[in-house]
Short mmCIF file of all heavy atoms in Angstrom, two decimals:
data_model
loop_
_atom_site.label_atom_id
_atom_site.label_comp_id
_atom_site.label_asym_id
_atom_site.label_seq_id
_atom_site.Cartn_x
_atom_site.Cartn_y
_atom_site.Cartn_z
N MET A 652 17.60 1.93 -0.57
CA MET A 652 16.47 1.21 -0.02
C MET A 652 16.79 -0.24 0.02
O MET A 652 17.16 -0.82 -1.02
CB MET A 652 15.23 1.51 -0.91
CG MET A 652 13.97 0.88 -0.41
SD MET A 652 12.44 1.18 -1.44
CE MET A 652 12.54 2.94 -1.80
N ARG A 653 16.62 -0.90 1.13
CA ARG A 653 16.85 -2.36 1.25
C ARG A 653 15.73 -3.11 0.54
O ARG A 653 14.66 -2.59 0.33
CB ARG A 653 16.89 -2.71 2.77
CG ARG A 653 17.93 -2.07 3.59
CD ARG A 653 17.95 -2.58 5.00
NE ARG A 653 16.63 -3.03 5.53
CZ ARG A 653 16.02 -2.54 6.54
NH1 ARG A 653 16.54 -1.47 7.18
NH2 ARG A 653 14.89 -2.97 6.91
N ASN A 654 16.04 -4.40 0.18
CA ASN A 654 15.04 -5.20 -0.49
C ASN A 654 13.79 -5.39 0.29
O ASN A 654 12.66 -5.35 -0.28
CB ASN A 654 15.67 -6.58 -0.80
CG ASN A 654 16.62 -6.50 -1.94
OD1 ASN A 654 16.64 -5.60 -2.75
ND2 ASN A 654 17.48 -7.45 -2.03
N ASP A 655 13.88 -5.57 1.62
CA ASP A 655 12.69 -5.73 2.44
C ASP A 655 11.87 -4.48 2.53
O ASP A 655 10.66 -4.49 2.56
CB ASP A 655 13.00 -6.28 3.88
CG ASP A 655 13.98 -5.46 4.65
OD1 ASP A 655 14.60 -4.50 4.13
OD2 ASP A 655 14.13 -5.77 5.84
N GLU A 656 12.51 -3.32 2.49
CA GLU A 656 11.85 -2.06 2.50
C GLU A 656 11.10 -1.79 1.15
O GLU A 656 9.97 -1.37 1.10
CB GLU A 656 12.78 -0.87 2.76
CG GLU A 656 13.32 -0.89 4.14
CD GLU A 656 14.39 0.17 4.42
OE1 GLU A 656 15.10 0.61 3.38
OE2 GLU A 656 14.62 0.56 5.51
N LEU A 657 11.80 -2.19 0.05
CA LEU A 657 11.20 -2.12 -1.25
C LEU A 657 10.02 -2.98 -1.36
O LEU A 657 8.97 -2.51 -1.82
CB LEU A 657 12.24 -2.50 -2.29
CG LEU A 657 11.73 -2.58 -3.75
CD1 LEU A 657 11.28 -1.19 -4.21
CD2 LEU A 657 12.85 -3.09 -4.66
N ALA A 658 10.08 -4.21 -0.86
CA ALA A 658 8.91 -5.12 -0.85
C ALA A 658 7.75 -4.53 -0.10
O ALA A 658 6.63 -4.68 -0.56
CB ALA A 658 9.35 -6.47 -0.30
N ALA A 659 8.02 -3.89 1.05
CA ALA A 659 6.94 -3.37 1.81
C ALA A 659 6.25 -2.21 1.19
O ALA A 659 5.04 -2.14 1.10
CB ALA A 659 7.53 -2.88 3.17
N ALA A 660 7.06 -1.32 0.56
CA ALA A 660 6.48 -0.17 -0.15
C ALA A 660 5.69 -0.68 -1.38
O ALA A 660 4.58 -0.16 -1.65
CB ALA A 660 7.57 0.78 -0.61
N GLN A 661 6.23 -1.63 -2.12
CA GLN A 661 5.48 -2.16 -3.25
C GLN A 661 4.17 -2.88 -2.88
O GLN A 661 3.16 -2.71 -3.52
CB GLN A 661 6.39 -3.13 -4.03
CG GLN A 661 7.50 -2.43 -4.79
CD GLN A 661 8.45 -3.47 -5.35
OE1 GLN A 661 8.68 -4.52 -4.84
NE2 GLN A 661 9.06 -3.02 -6.53
N ALA A 662 4.19 -3.61 -1.73
CA ALA A 662 2.97 -4.29 -1.24
C ALA A 662 1.98 -3.23 -0.87
O ALA A 662 0.72 -3.38 -1.15
CB ALA A 662 3.31 -5.19 -0.06
N TYR A 663 2.38 -2.14 -0.26
CA TYR A 663 1.42 -1.08 0.09
C TYR A 663 0.82 -0.44 -1.16
O TYR A 663 -0.44 -0.20 -1.19
CB TYR A 663 2.13 -0.06 0.93
CG TYR A 663 1.26 1.19 1.31
CD1 TYR A 663 0.29 1.06 2.25
CD2 TYR A 663 1.43 2.35 0.64
CE1 TYR A 663 -0.49 2.11 2.56
CE2 TYR A 663 0.62 3.44 0.93
CZ TYR A 663 -0.33 3.33 1.93
OH TYR A 663 -1.12 4.38 2.23
N ILE A 664 1.57 -0.21 -2.15
CA ILE A 664 1.15 0.39 -3.43
C ILE A 664 0.08 -0.54 -4.03
O ILE A 664 -0.97 -0.16 -4.51
CB ILE A 664 2.29 0.71 -4.37
CG1 ILE A 664 3.03 1.98 -3.73
CG2 ILE A 664 1.78 1.06 -5.75
CD1 ILE A 664 4.35 2.22 -4.44
N ARG A 665 0.41 -1.84 -4.05
CA ARG A 665 -0.51 -2.85 -4.62
C ARG A 665 -1.84 -2.83 -3.85
O ARG A 665 -2.93 -2.98 -4.39
CB ARG A 665 0.09 -4.22 -4.61
CG ARG A 665 1.07 -4.42 -5.78
CD ARG A 665 1.43 -5.87 -5.95
NE ARG A 665 2.23 -6.40 -4.86
CZ ARG A 665 3.55 -6.30 -4.69
NH1 ARG A 665 4.20 -5.62 -5.56
NH2 ARG A 665 4.18 -6.81 -3.65
N LEU A 666 -1.76 -2.76 -2.51
CA LEU A 666 -2.93 -2.68 -1.66
C LEU A 666 -3.76 -1.45 -1.99
O LEU A 666 -4.96 -1.58 -2.12
CB LEU A 666 -2.54 -2.69 -0.16
CG LEU A 666 -3.67 -2.50 0.82
CD1 LEU A 666 -4.77 -3.56 0.63
CD2 LEU A 666 -3.15 -2.49 2.22
N LEU A 667 -3.17 -0.37 -2.16
CA LEU A 667 -3.87 0.86 -2.51
C LEU A 667 -4.54 0.76 -3.84
O LEU A 667 -5.71 1.20 -4.04
CB LEU A 667 -2.99 2.11 -2.52
CG LEU A 667 -2.58 2.72 -1.22
CD1 LEU A 667 -1.62 3.89 -1.44
CD2 LEU A 667 -3.72 3.16 -0.48
N GLN A 668 -3.87 0.17 -4.79
CA GLN A 668 -4.46 0.01 -6.13
C GLN A 668 -5.61 -0.95 -6.10
O GLN A 668 -6.65 -0.72 -6.69
CB GLN A 668 -3.39 -0.52 -7.14
CG GLN A 668 -2.35 0.48 -7.46
CD GLN A 668 -1.14 -0.06 -8.15
OE1 GLN A 668 -0.81 -1.25 -8.13
NE2 GLN A 668 -0.39 0.83 -8.81
N ALA A 669 -5.52 -2.02 -5.35
CA ALA A 669 -6.63 -3.00 -5.21
C ALA A 669 -7.81 -2.36 -4.47
O ALA A 669 -8.99 -2.59 -4.84
CB ALA A 669 -6.15 -4.25 -4.43
N THR A 670 -7.51 -1.61 -3.44
CA THR A 670 -8.60 -0.92 -2.71
C THR A 670 -9.33 0.13 -3.59
O THR A 670 -10.54 0.20 -3.60
CB THR A 670 -8.03 -0.22 -1.44
OG1 THR A 670 -7.41 -1.16 -0.63
CG2 THR A 670 -9.09 0.48 -0.65
N ARG A 671 -8.56 0.92 -4.36
CA ARG A 671 -9.17 1.91 -5.25
C ARG A 671 -10.07 1.14 -6.28
O ARG A 671 -11.14 1.64 -6.55
CB ARG A 671 -8.12 2.71 -5.96
CG ARG A 671 -7.49 3.74 -5.03
CD ARG A 671 -6.47 4.59 -5.74
NE ARG A 671 -5.88 5.57 -4.81
CZ ARG A 671 -4.67 5.90 -4.84
NH1 ARG A 671 -3.79 5.36 -5.73
NH2 ARG A 671 -4.17 6.81 -3.97
N ALA A 672 -9.58 0.06 -6.81
CA ALA A 672 -10.34 -0.71 -7.80
C ALA A 672 -11.66 -1.24 -7.18
O ALA A 672 -12.71 -1.16 -7.74
CB ALA A 672 -9.50 -1.85 -8.37
N ALA A 673 -11.54 -1.75 -5.96
CA ALA A 673 -12.75 -2.30 -5.24
C ALA A 673 -13.78 -1.16 -4.96
O ALA A 673 -14.98 -1.37 -5.00
CB ALA A 673 -12.32 -3.00 -3.98
N LEU A 674 -13.24 -0.02 -4.64
CA LEU A 674 -14.15 1.12 -4.26
C LEU A 674 -14.64 1.91 -5.46
O LEU A 674 -15.52 2.80 -5.32
CB LEU A 674 -13.50 2.02 -3.29
CG LEU A 674 -13.04 1.39 -1.94
CD1 LEU A 674 -12.31 2.40 -1.06
CD2 LEU A 674 -14.32 0.87 -1.16
N ALA A 675 -14.16 1.62 -6.64
CA ALA A 675 -14.51 2.35 -7.86
C ALA A 675 -15.97 2.11 -8.19
O ALA A 675 -16.63 3.02 -8.82
CB ALA A 675 -13.65 1.98 -9.02
N GLU A 676 -16.50 1.02 -7.82
CA GLU A 676 -17.92 0.71 -8.03
C GLU A 676 -18.61 0.56 -6.68
O GLU A 676 -18.68 -0.56 -6.13
CB GLU A 676 -18.04 -0.62 -8.86
CG GLU A 676 -17.45 -0.53 -10.20
CD GLU A 676 -18.20 0.35 -11.17
OE1 GLU A 676 -19.40 0.51 -10.95
OE2 GLU A 676 -17.56 0.93 -12.06
N PRO A 677 -19.13 1.61 -6.06
CA PRO A 677 -19.62 1.55 -4.70
C PRO A 677 -20.68 0.45 -4.47
O PRO A 677 -20.69 -0.15 -3.42
CB PRO A 677 -20.22 2.94 -4.48
CG PRO A 677 -19.47 3.80 -5.47
CD PRO A 677 -19.15 2.93 -6.62
N HIS A 678 -21.51 0.21 -5.44
CA HIS A 678 -22.56 -0.84 -5.29
C HIS A 678 -21.98 -2.25 -5.28
O HIS A 678 -22.58 -3.19 -4.85
CB HIS A 678 -23.66 -0.69 -6.33
CG HIS A 678 -23.14 -0.89 -7.74
ND1 HIS A 678 -22.49 0.09 -8.41
CD2 HIS A 678 -23.28 -1.92 -8.58
CE1 HIS A 678 -22.15 -0.36 -9.59
NE2 HIS A 678 -22.65 -1.59 -9.77
N GLU A 679 -20.71 -2.36 -5.66
CA GLU A 679 -20.02 -3.71 -5.74
C GLU A 679 -19.08 -3.94 -4.58
O GLU A 679 -18.50 -4.93 -4.49
CB GLU A 679 -19.21 -3.84 -7.03
CG GLU A 679 -20.08 -3.74 -8.27
CD GLU A 679 -20.87 -5.00 -8.57
OE1 GLU A 679 -20.55 -6.05 -8.06
OE2 GLU A 679 -21.90 -4.87 -9.30
N VAL A 680 -18.90 -2.96 -3.69
CA VAL A 680 -17.89 -2.97 -2.58
C VAL A 680 -18.06 -4.24 -1.77
O VAL A 680 -17.05 -5.01 -1.55
CB VAL A 680 -17.95 -1.72 -1.73
CG1 VAL A 680 -17.13 -1.88 -0.46
CG2 VAL A 680 -17.39 -0.53 -2.57
N PRO A 681 -19.30 -4.57 -1.31
CA PRO A 681 -19.36 -5.84 -0.49
C PRO A 681 -18.83 -7.08 -1.21
O PRO A 681 -18.22 -7.92 -0.60
CB PRO A 681 -20.88 -5.96 -0.19
CG PRO A 681 -21.44 -4.53 -0.25
CD PRO A 681 -20.52 -3.94 -1.36
N LEU A 682 -19.07 -7.13 -2.52
CA LEU A 682 -18.57 -8.25 -3.30
C LEU A 682 -17.08 -8.37 -3.36
O LEU A 682 -16.44 -9.38 -3.27
CB LEU A 682 -19.15 -8.17 -4.72
CG LEU A 682 -18.72 -9.23 -5.75
CD1 LEU A 682 -19.34 -10.52 -5.34
CD2 LEU A 682 -19.18 -8.83 -7.09
N TYR A 683 -16.38 -7.20 -3.42
CA TYR A 683 -14.95 -7.16 -3.57
C TYR A 683 -14.16 -7.09 -2.30
O TYR A 683 -12.93 -7.32 -2.30
CB TYR A 683 -14.57 -5.96 -4.44
CG TYR A 683 -15.07 -6.04 -5.89
CD1 TYR A 683 -15.88 -5.02 -6.38
CD2 TYR A 683 -14.68 -7.11 -6.66
CE1 TYR A 683 -16.28 -5.13 -7.69
CE2 TYR A 683 -15.13 -7.20 -7.93
CZ TYR A 683 -16.01 -6.20 -8.52
OH TYR A 683 -16.39 -6.30 -9.74
N MET A 684 -14.76 -6.80 -1.14
CA MET A 684 -14.05 -6.66 0.10
C MET A 684 -13.16 -7.92 0.44
O MET A 684 -12.08 -7.81 0.94
CB MET A 684 -14.99 -6.30 1.21
CG MET A 684 -15.52 -4.88 1.11
SD MET A 684 -14.29 -3.59 0.89
CE MET A 684 -13.59 -3.50 2.51
N SER A 685 -13.76 -9.10 0.20
CA SER A 685 -13.01 -10.33 0.51
C SER A 685 -11.69 -10.41 -0.33
O SER A 685 -10.78 -11.07 0.03
CB SER A 685 -13.91 -11.54 0.35
OG SER A 685 -14.25 -11.68 -1.03
N LEU A 686 -11.73 -9.80 -1.53
CA LEU A 686 -10.56 -9.83 -2.39
C LEU A 686 -9.38 -9.00 -1.82
O LEU A 686 -8.24 -9.20 -2.25
CB LEU A 686 -10.94 -9.39 -3.76
CG LEU A 686 -11.94 -10.22 -4.54
CD1 LEU A 686 -12.29 -9.61 -5.84
CD2 LEU A 686 -11.44 -11.63 -4.69
N LEU A 687 -9.67 -8.11 -0.88
CA LEU A 687 -8.63 -7.36 -0.28
C LEU A 687 -7.85 -8.04 0.83
O LEU A 687 -6.77 -7.56 1.20
CB LEU A 687 -9.19 -6.01 0.22
CG LEU A 687 -9.84 -5.05 -0.82
CD1 LEU A 687 -10.42 -3.88 -0.15
CD2 LEU A 687 -8.79 -4.68 -1.84
N ALA A 688 -8.33 -9.12 1.27
CA ALA A 688 -7.69 -9.85 2.39
C ALA A 688 -6.27 -10.24 2.05
O ALA A 688 -5.33 -10.08 2.86
CB ALA A 688 -8.47 -11.13 2.77
N SER A 689 -6.01 -10.71 0.87
CA SER A 689 -4.66 -11.09 0.47
C SER A 689 -3.70 -9.93 0.37
O SER A 689 -2.63 -10.01 0.93
CB SER A 689 -4.73 -11.88 -0.91
OG SER A 689 -3.36 -12.29 -1.24
N PRO A 690 -4.08 -8.80 -0.37
CA PRO A 690 -3.13 -7.72 -0.37
C PRO A 690 -2.92 -7.09 1.03
O PRO A 690 -1.79 -6.63 1.32
CB PRO A 690 -3.82 -6.67 -1.26
CG PRO A 690 -4.87 -7.42 -1.99
CD PRO A 690 -5.20 -8.64 -1.22
N ILE A 691 -3.89 -7.13 1.90
CA ILE A 691 -3.73 -6.57 3.29
C ILE A 691 -2.69 -7.51 3.98
O ILE A 691 -1.80 -6.96 4.68
CB ILE A 691 -5.07 -6.53 4.00
CG1 ILE A 691 -5.93 -5.38 3.40
CG2 ILE A 691 -4.84 -6.32 5.52
CD1 ILE A 691 -7.37 -5.40 3.93
N ALA A 692 -2.85 -8.78 3.95
CA ALA A 692 -1.95 -9.69 4.58
C ALA A 692 -0.54 -9.53 4.06
O ALA A 692 0.43 -9.55 4.83
CB ALA A 692 -2.46 -11.16 4.47
N GLU A 693 -0.41 -9.35 2.69
CA GLU A 693 0.92 -9.18 2.13
C GLU A 693 1.58 -7.90 2.64
O GLU A 693 2.72 -7.89 2.99
CB GLU A 693 0.80 -9.13 0.57
CG GLU A 693 2.10 -8.84 -0.07
CD GLU A 693 1.98 -8.46 -1.55
OE1 GLU A 693 0.87 -8.10 -2.04
OE2 GLU A 693 3.07 -8.43 -2.24
N ALA A 694 0.81 -6.82 2.67
CA ALA A 694 1.35 -5.57 3.13
C ALA A 694 1.76 -5.61 4.64
O ALA A 694 2.83 -5.17 5.03
CB ALA A 694 0.38 -4.41 2.88
N ASP A 695 0.89 -6.24 5.43
CA ASP A 695 1.22 -6.36 6.88
C ASP A 695 2.47 -7.14 7.10
O ASP A 695 3.33 -6.78 7.88
CB ASP A 695 0.05 -7.04 7.60
CG ASP A 695 -1.14 -6.12 7.86
OD1 ASP A 695 -1.00 -4.89 7.67
OD2 ASP A 695 -2.19 -6.68 8.19
N GLY A 696 2.61 -8.26 6.40
CA GLY A 696 3.77 -9.17 6.57
C GLY A 696 5.04 -8.41 6.07
O GLY A 696 6.11 -8.55 6.72
N ALA A 697 4.94 -7.74 4.98
CA ALA A 697 6.12 -6.98 4.41
C ALA A 697 6.52 -5.87 5.38
O ALA A 697 7.76 -5.68 5.58
CB ALA A 697 5.78 -6.50 3.06
N LEU A 698 5.57 -5.21 5.92
CA LEU A 698 5.94 -4.10 6.90
C LEU A 698 6.66 -4.69 8.15
O LEU A 698 7.61 -4.11 8.53
CB LEU A 698 4.64 -3.39 7.29
CG LEU A 698 4.06 -2.43 6.34
CD1 LEU A 698 2.69 -1.99 6.82
CD2 LEU A 698 4.97 -1.21 6.12
N GLU A 699 6.14 -5.77 8.61
CA GLU A 699 6.77 -6.37 9.75
C GLU A 699 8.16 -6.88 9.44
O GLU A 699 9.10 -6.64 10.23
CB GLU A 699 5.91 -7.56 10.24
CG GLU A 699 6.36 -8.12 11.60
CD GLU A 699 5.38 -9.10 12.19
OE1 GLU A 699 4.22 -9.03 11.94
OE2 GLU A 699 5.89 -10.03 12.92
N ARG A 700 8.38 -7.53 8.35
CA ARG A 700 9.72 -8.06 7.97
C ARG A 700 10.69 -6.92 7.74
O ARG A 700 11.90 -7.12 8.07
CB ARG A 700 9.60 -8.89 6.69
CG ARG A 700 9.00 -10.27 6.91
CD ARG A 700 9.14 -11.15 5.70
NE ARG A 700 8.32 -10.59 4.55
CZ ARG A 700 7.05 -10.76 4.38
NH1 ARG A 700 6.31 -11.40 5.30
NH2 ARG A 700 6.50 -10.25 3.30
N ALA A 701 10.22 -5.81 7.30
CA ALA A 701 11.12 -4.64 7.04
C ALA A 701 11.34 -3.86 8.28
O ALA A 701 12.14 -2.92 8.26
CB ALA A 701 10.59 -3.78 5.95
N GLY A 702 10.67 -4.16 9.36
CA GLY A 702 10.82 -3.40 10.61
C GLY A 702 10.20 -2.05 10.51
O GLY A 702 10.69 -1.11 11.20
N LEU A 703 9.16 -1.84 9.73
CA LEU A 703 8.58 -0.54 9.49
C LEU A 703 7.31 -0.42 10.28
O LEU A 703 6.66 0.66 10.22
CB LEU A 703 8.30 -0.33 8.02
CG LEU A 703 9.60 -0.21 7.19
CD1 LEU A 703 9.27 -0.25 5.67
CD2 LEU A 703 10.31 1.10 7.53
N CYS A 704 6.84 -1.37 10.99
CA CYS A 704 5.64 -1.21 11.84
C CYS A 704 5.96 -0.18 12.90
O CYS A 704 6.97 -0.28 13.58
CB CYS A 704 5.25 -2.56 12.48
SG CYS A 704 4.64 -3.77 11.31
N GLY A 705 5.12 0.86 12.99
CA GLY A 705 5.34 1.89 13.95
C GLY A 705 6.33 2.95 13.47
O GLY A 705 6.58 3.92 14.21
N ASN A 706 6.84 2.87 12.26
CA ASN A 706 7.75 3.88 11.68
C ASN A 706 7.14 4.40 10.41
O ASN A 706 7.72 4.26 9.36
CB ASN A 706 9.11 3.24 11.46
CG ASN A 706 10.18 4.34 11.18
OD1 ASN A 706 9.90 5.49 11.01
ND2 ASN A 706 11.42 3.87 11.07
N GLU A 707 5.94 4.96 10.55
CA GLU A 707 5.22 5.43 9.38
C GLU A 707 5.99 6.49 8.56
O GLU A 707 5.88 6.48 7.33
CB GLU A 707 3.82 5.90 9.81
CG GLU A 707 2.88 4.89 10.25
CD GLU A 707 3.14 4.41 11.72
OE1 GLU A 707 3.91 5.07 12.43
OE2 GLU A 707 2.52 3.42 12.15
N SER A 708 6.68 7.37 9.19
CA SER A 708 7.36 8.43 8.56
C SER A 708 8.37 7.88 7.57
O SER A 708 8.40 8.24 6.38
CB SER A 708 8.05 9.32 9.53
OG SER A 708 8.79 10.34 8.85
N ARG A 709 9.19 6.97 8.00
CA ARG A 709 10.17 6.26 7.12
C ARG A 709 9.49 5.49 6.01
O ARG A 709 9.85 5.57 4.86
CB ARG A 709 11.04 5.32 7.97
CG ARG A 709 11.97 4.40 7.14
CD ARG A 709 13.19 5.20 6.60
NE ARG A 709 13.99 4.20 5.90
CZ ARG A 709 14.49 4.43 4.70
NH1 ARG A 709 14.19 5.55 4.01
NH2 ARG A 709 15.24 3.51 4.09
N PHE A 710 8.39 4.80 6.40
CA PHE A 710 7.69 3.99 5.38
C PHE A 710 7.13 4.83 4.33
O PHE A 710 7.29 4.55 3.12
CB PHE A 710 6.54 3.19 6.13
CG PHE A 710 5.66 2.43 5.16
CD1 PHE A 710 6.16 1.42 4.33
CD2 PHE A 710 4.32 2.86 4.97
CE1 PHE A 710 5.35 0.76 3.50
CE2 PHE A 710 3.54 2.19 4.12
CZ PHE A 710 4.01 1.16 3.36
N PHE A 711 6.44 5.91 4.66
CA PHE A 711 5.88 6.77 3.56
C PHE A 711 6.87 7.47 2.78
O PHE A 711 6.67 7.81 1.62
CB PHE A 711 4.80 7.70 4.18
CG PHE A 711 3.52 6.99 4.55
CD1 PHE A 711 3.12 6.80 5.84
CD2 PHE A 711 2.76 6.41 3.56
CE1 PHE A 711 1.95 6.12 6.14
CE2 PHE A 711 1.59 5.67 3.86
CZ PHE A 711 1.22 5.54 5.17
N ASP A 712 8.06 7.77 3.36
CA ASP A 712 9.16 8.28 2.56
C ASP A 712 9.54 7.25 1.50
O ASP A 712 9.79 7.64 0.33
CB ASP A 712 10.35 8.62 3.43
CG ASP A 712 10.22 9.86 4.28
OD1 ASP A 712 9.27 10.64 4.03
OD2 ASP A 712 10.99 9.99 5.23
N LEU A 713 9.56 6.03 1.84
CA LEU A 713 9.90 4.93 0.88
C LEU A 713 8.85 4.83 -0.21
O LEU A 713 9.18 4.73 -1.40
CB LEU A 713 10.05 3.60 1.59
CG LEU A 713 11.20 3.51 2.61
CD1 LEU A 713 11.07 2.19 3.42
CD2 LEU A 713 12.53 3.49 1.90
N VAL A 714 7.57 4.91 0.19
CA VAL A 714 6.50 4.81 -0.79
C VAL A 714 6.61 6.01 -1.73
O VAL A 714 6.51 5.81 -2.98
CB VAL A 714 5.11 4.77 -0.05
CG1 VAL A 714 3.96 4.95 -1.06
CG2 VAL A 714 4.94 3.50 0.71
N ARG A 715 6.82 7.21 -1.22
CA ARG A 715 6.89 8.44 -2.08
C ARG A 715 8.13 8.32 -3.08
O ARG A 715 8.03 8.85 -4.12
CB ARG A 715 6.99 9.62 -1.24
CG ARG A 715 5.61 10.15 -0.74
CD ARG A 715 5.68 11.51 -0.05
NE ARG A 715 6.47 11.48 1.15
CZ ARG A 715 5.95 11.15 2.39
NH1 ARG A 715 4.72 10.82 2.46
NH2 ARG A 715 6.67 11.14 3.43
N SER A 716 9.11 7.65 -2.62
CA SER A 716 10.33 7.54 -3.49
C SER A 716 9.99 6.61 -4.69
O SER A 716 10.60 6.74 -5.79
CB SER A 716 11.55 7.00 -2.71
OG SER A 716 11.41 5.61 -2.42
N LEU A 717 9.10 5.66 -4.46
CA LEU A 717 8.65 4.77 -5.54
C LEU A 717 7.52 5.34 -6.43
O LEU A 717 7.42 5.15 -7.60
CB LEU A 717 8.14 3.45 -5.01
CG LEU A 717 9.16 2.51 -4.44
CD1 LEU A 717 8.50 1.26 -3.81
CD2 LEU A 717 10.25 2.16 -5.43
N GLN A 718 6.65 6.16 -5.73
CA GLN A 718 5.50 6.73 -6.45
C GLN A 718 5.28 8.12 -5.97
O GLN A 718 4.53 8.39 -5.08
CB GLN A 718 4.28 5.83 -6.21
CG GLN A 718 3.17 6.16 -7.13
CD GLN A 718 2.29 4.91 -7.38
OE1 GLN A 718 2.59 3.86 -7.04
NE2 GLN A 718 1.13 5.19 -7.96
N PRO A 719 6.03 9.10 -6.57
CA PRO A 719 5.97 10.48 -6.15
C PRO A 719 4.59 11.02 -6.13
O PRO A 719 4.29 11.89 -5.33
CB PRO A 719 6.89 11.20 -7.12
CG PRO A 719 7.79 10.12 -7.64
CD PRO A 719 6.94 8.88 -7.65
N SER A 720 3.65 10.51 -6.94
CA SER A 720 2.29 11.04 -6.98
C SER A 720 1.58 10.85 -5.61
O SER A 720 0.49 11.47 -5.40
CB SER A 720 1.52 10.41 -8.06
OG SER A 720 1.35 8.97 -7.81
N MET A 721 2.13 10.02 -4.71
CA MET A 721 1.49 9.81 -3.46
C MET A 721 1.92 10.83 -2.35
O MET A 721 1.64 10.63 -1.21
CB MET A 721 1.78 8.37 -3.00
CG MET A 721 1.11 7.31 -3.82
SD MET A 721 1.40 5.72 -3.14
CE MET A 721 0.04 4.87 -3.81
N SER A 722 2.58 11.85 -2.82
CA SER A 722 3.12 12.86 -1.86
C SER A 722 1.97 13.67 -1.30
O SER A 722 2.19 14.24 -0.24
CB SER A 722 4.15 13.68 -2.47
OG SER A 722 3.54 14.53 -3.50
N GLY A 723 0.86 13.75 -1.96
CA GLY A 723 -0.24 14.58 -1.48
C GLY A 723 -0.14 15.99 -1.90
O GLY A 723 -1.03 16.82 -1.70
N HIS A 724 0.96 16.39 -2.57
CA HIS A 724 1.13 17.77 -3.04
C HIS A 724 0.42 17.93 -4.35
O HIS A 724 0.37 17.01 -5.19
CB HIS A 724 2.62 18.09 -3.21
CG HIS A 724 3.31 18.08 -1.91
ND1 HIS A 724 4.10 16.98 -1.53
CD2 HIS A 724 3.35 18.98 -0.97
CE1 HIS A 724 4.59 17.31 -0.31
NE2 HIS A 724 4.16 18.49 0.01
N GLY A 725 -0.17 19.08 -4.53
CA GLY A 725 -0.88 19.39 -5.79
C GLY A 725 -2.25 18.84 -5.92
O GLY A 725 -2.84 18.79 -6.94
N ARG A 726 -2.79 18.38 -4.79
CA ARG A 726 -4.17 17.89 -4.82
C ARG A 726 -5.20 18.96 -4.61
O ARG A 726 -5.05 19.84 -3.90
CB ARG A 726 -4.38 16.79 -3.80
CG ARG A 726 -3.74 15.52 -4.24
CD ARG A 726 -4.02 14.41 -3.32
NE ARG A 726 -3.43 13.20 -3.86
CZ ARG A 726 -3.81 12.07 -3.50
NH1 ARG A 726 -4.76 11.85 -2.63
NH2 ARG A 726 -3.25 10.97 -4.01
#
């Protein structure tokens, strides 16, 4: 995995973690939505730099290699 691919996968994982935290308290969601702007921008930029925009299959393979629990199996 190249460094830019690693950065993209890590940024996506951070975005998922931030989103899950924001949505954990449904009545607080409007308050936290603005906090997701930075992780979204980070993930978008990292995907573009790694050339992974439009190549979701490759991207999710990279994410699963970092965090196997995101494979969707066993749910």
Side-chain angles (χ1 to χ4, degrees):
M652 183 180 316
R653 299 183 331 241
N654 285 340
D655 57 351
E656 293 173 335
L657 176 62
Q661 289 173 329
Y663 176 76
I664 291 168
R665 283 191 293 276
L666 173 59
L667 282 180
Q668 291 168 339
T670 302
R671 286 182 180 142
L674 297 176
E676 298 291 332
H678 62 283
E679 300 286 336
V680 168
L682 178 67
Y683 294 124
M684 290 308 287
S685 64
L686 297 177
L687 295 177
S689 180
I691 289 170
E693 177 193 14
D695 284 346
L698 284 169
E699 189 172 331
R700 286 187 298 278
L703 294 168
C704 291
N706 192 353
E707 289 81 8
S708 178
R709 170 77 177 130
F710 173 67
F711 286 113
D712 287 345
L713 294 169
V714 170
R715 281 188 291 275
S716 74
L717 289 178
Q718 194 151 347
S720 65
M721 293 185 155
S722 68
H724 296 98
R726 285 185 177 200

